Amino acid sequence: MDGAHKAVKIAEKVYWVGAIDWRLREFHGYSTPRGTTYNAYLVLGEKPILLDTVKAGFAGEMLSRIASVIPPEEIKIVVSNHSEMDHSGELPSVLKKLRPEKVLASEMGVKTLRAHFHEDLNLTAVSDGQKLDAGGSALTFYESRMLHWPDSMVALLEGENVLFSNDIFGMHAACGGRFDDETPAWRAEAAKYYANIVLPYSAVVKAFLAKAEKAGIRPKIIAPDHGPVWRKNPAEIVRLYGKWAGQKPENKAVIAYDTMWGSTEKLAGAIAEGVISGGSEVRVMPLSSSHRSEIASELLEAGALVVGSPVLNKQVFPTVADLMVYLIGLARKNLVGAAFGSYGWAPSGIENLSAMLKEAGVEQIAAPLCCHYVPDEAALSAAFKLGAEISARLRA
Ligand code: FEO
């Protein structure tokens, strides 16, 4: 431990005691150019509580921040809201040091933590709605299954009305400020997090928000496990989650492609012109310079996905296949689109791409646009027409 790392007070009895990872640039397939934070929280009371821990390698920083408030050994209860390693990596080492009276997780969390660490962590399961009175601080636990793991849960601190939301409402953004009002880029990063982590569970998000509404839960502060704490307007991120979960198509097309000798790129440009001519917004994203997770982010508030690939050895180009596998997993709903590309011997790779778009749930408004070698005026005109038709569908 050192004296350089300080806790940040977020409510009368609550301190942020997490770690900042300025170096992280990749999080299981998701690009993180701003790094991230692994948030952990200290709740004071007769029996101090530590909510969540940090990724392996960051325990020293977390313990130093705790030590700026109380000696870490005074912590009596540790809560693990989620067993993914960015929150549990240091759990065993921290438990060995703190030796708390209780270590709490959801029923599924007890199973998944055991499956991760294969050692006795002295875990106790808490059920949905269970309260914990820690002497002056009372927490209620709510299961948030599949947001985004089966073990996920959140905890609500009574009185101060702080929701410890685990991954929900989080974002990957390392920053000096700890609060939403100190973090100007929060909307784009929160959207990227939703698009790349939470999107497949949008039906669960809707149910979770409805359950919270019905229970009258309106937190004054939302404290997620990544990125800033929502203190200025927590209702805004809740509203955005409701919007994003709806996956309503917007008047914007995303055109993603790769190219070998420039032919597929020419088609992409012509399709984009057609989209613009129809009065829709367009984002053209060459895979040579666009990360798959940036494309997923752009799709969050779009209505069309048009994907282009050259044919290589009868197949979809490898970078395009990578994108499609990722998007199939994210399962964005309510998109229209089309496949296009250039071929030499046979258009099989573009037909394969069309099948992948179908698997991703994209309603294709036209047969694949396949161009033999280099597009001529007729091929470019067909590409423009396809873009205009996409726009017409978006504006219908
Ligand atoms: Fe931040 Fe699902 O871990």
Side-chain angles (χ1 to χ4, degrees):
M1 286 190 283
D2 59 58
H5 296 107
K6 306 294 184 194
V8 178
K9 192 171 187 171
I10 67 164
E12 196 49 40
K13 293 180 185 168
V14 184
Y15 290 81
W16 174 85
V17 291
I20 306 175
D21 188 346
W22 298 101
R23 295 177 62 189
L24 187 81
R25 292 293 179 271
E26 204 278 342
F27 188 92
H28 56 52
Y30 165 170
S31 69
T32 54
R34 293 174 184 271
T36 195
T37 65
Y38 311 112
N39 297 344
Y41 298 96
L42 173 67
V43 178
L44 299 181
E46 281 172 34
K47 295 194 174 190
I49 305 166
L50 175 64
L51 283 128
D52 288 321
T53 55
V54 287
K55 185 178 172 182
F58 291 88
E61 182 175 337
M62 182 186 75
L63 291 167
S64 293
R65 295 191 196 280
I66 296 169
S68 72
V69 184
I70 59 170
E73 292 76 10
E74 288 185 10
I75 289 169
K76 294 291 184 286
I77 299 164
V78 173
V79 176
S80 173
N81 276 327
H82 175 29
S83 59
E84 193 165 9
M85 294 280 215
D86 49 332
H87 310 291
S88 70
E90 287 286 6
L91 183 65
S93 71
V94 167
L95 296 181
K96 283 184 184 83
K97 180 171 178 56
L98 304 187
R99 303 203 171 280
E101 290 174 6
K102 282 184 183 168
V103 186
L104 306 177
S106 68
E107 287 170 20
M108 189 63 82
V110 168
K111 291 179 191 166
T112 52
L113 286 168
R114 282 183 185 141
H116 276 73
F117 298 109
H118 308 289
E119 59 181 295
D120 183 7
L121 299 176
N122 189 28
L123 301 166
T124 301
V126 291
S127 54
D128 186 41
Q130 187 170 330
K131 281 186 193 270
L132 167 76
D133 186 350
S137 292
L139 287 174
T140 305
F141 301 102
Y142 296 98
E143 281 192 353
S144 51
R145 278 189 179 214
M146 299 320 298
L147 286 179
H148 66 124
W149 272 26
D151 68 296
S152 301
M153 70 174 185
V154 302
L156 182 68
L157 179 65
E158 281 181 10
E160 304 210 54
N161 198 13
V162 179
L163 179 69
F164 300 99
S165 63
N166 186 249
D167 278 334
I168 313 169
F169 308 128
M171 71 182 76
H172 288 311
C175 43
R178 293 275 62 78
F179 298 96
D180 53 340
D181 48 286
E182 300 171 331
T183 313
W186 72 261
R187 192 190 189 283
E189 291 300 337
K192 187 174 185 181
Y193 192 92
Y194 190 96
N196 286 277
I197 301 276
V198 186
L199 181 68
Y201 312 105
S202 289
V204 190
V205 171
K206 285 186 195 172
F208 179 80
L209 295 180
K211 183 177 161 185
E213 183 69 27
K214 194 173 172 193
I217 297 171
R218 289 197 180 85
K220 186 177 167 202
I221 293 171
I222 295 178
D225 272 8
H226 299 290
V229 171
W230 306 98
R231 70 175 175 189
K232 186 180 178 192
N233 186 6
E236 177 60 8
I237 188 66
V238 174
R239 184 191 72 79
L240 283 170
Y241 263 54
K243 173 187 189 287
W244 293 331
Q247 300 185 65
K248 196 173 161 202
E250 300 193 20
N251 186 21
K252 170 181 158 186
V254 176
I255 301 172
Y257 71 94
D258 212 335
T259 198
M260 285 170 66
W261 295 107
S263 292
T264 304
E265 184 160 62
K266 284 180 181 152
L267 294 170
I271 294 168
E273 289 298 318
V275 171
I276 294 165
S277 76
S280 301
E281 188 186 340
V282 69
R283 282 283 289 152
V284 179
M285 306 191 77
L287 282 160
S288 55
S289 57
S290 306
H291 194 272
R292 65 176 90 81
S293 56
E294 292 168 4
I295 293 168
S297 301
E298 288 292 339
L299 275 174
L300 184 63
E301 294 177 321
L305 171 64
V306 191
V307 184
S309 176
V311 178
L312 178 65
N313 299 326
K314 301 183 191 170
Q315 302 299 322
V316 178
F317 203 65
T319 51
V320 180
D322 172 281
L323 171 71
M324 289 313 303
V325 167
Y326 192 69
L327 295 180
I328 288 166
L330 290 173
R332 168 73 161 85
K333 297 203 176 351
N334 304 325
L335 292 176
V336 296
F340 67 97
S342 164
Y343 68 95
W345 291 259
S348 51
I350 307 164
E351 287 156 4
N352 293 345
L353 172 58
S354 174
M356 296 175 100
L357 277 168
K358 184 178 179 191
E359 194 178 351
V362 176
E363 179 197 342
Q364 292 168 80
I365 67 158
L369 178 67
C370 304
C371 169
H372 196 210
Y373 288 115
V374 178
D376 58 10
E377 278 306 313
L380 292 174
S381 175
F384 183 94
K385 184 164 169 276
L386 174 62
E389 286 169 359
I390 292 275
S391 174
R393 272 297 296 269
L394 292 175
R395 288 161 55 83

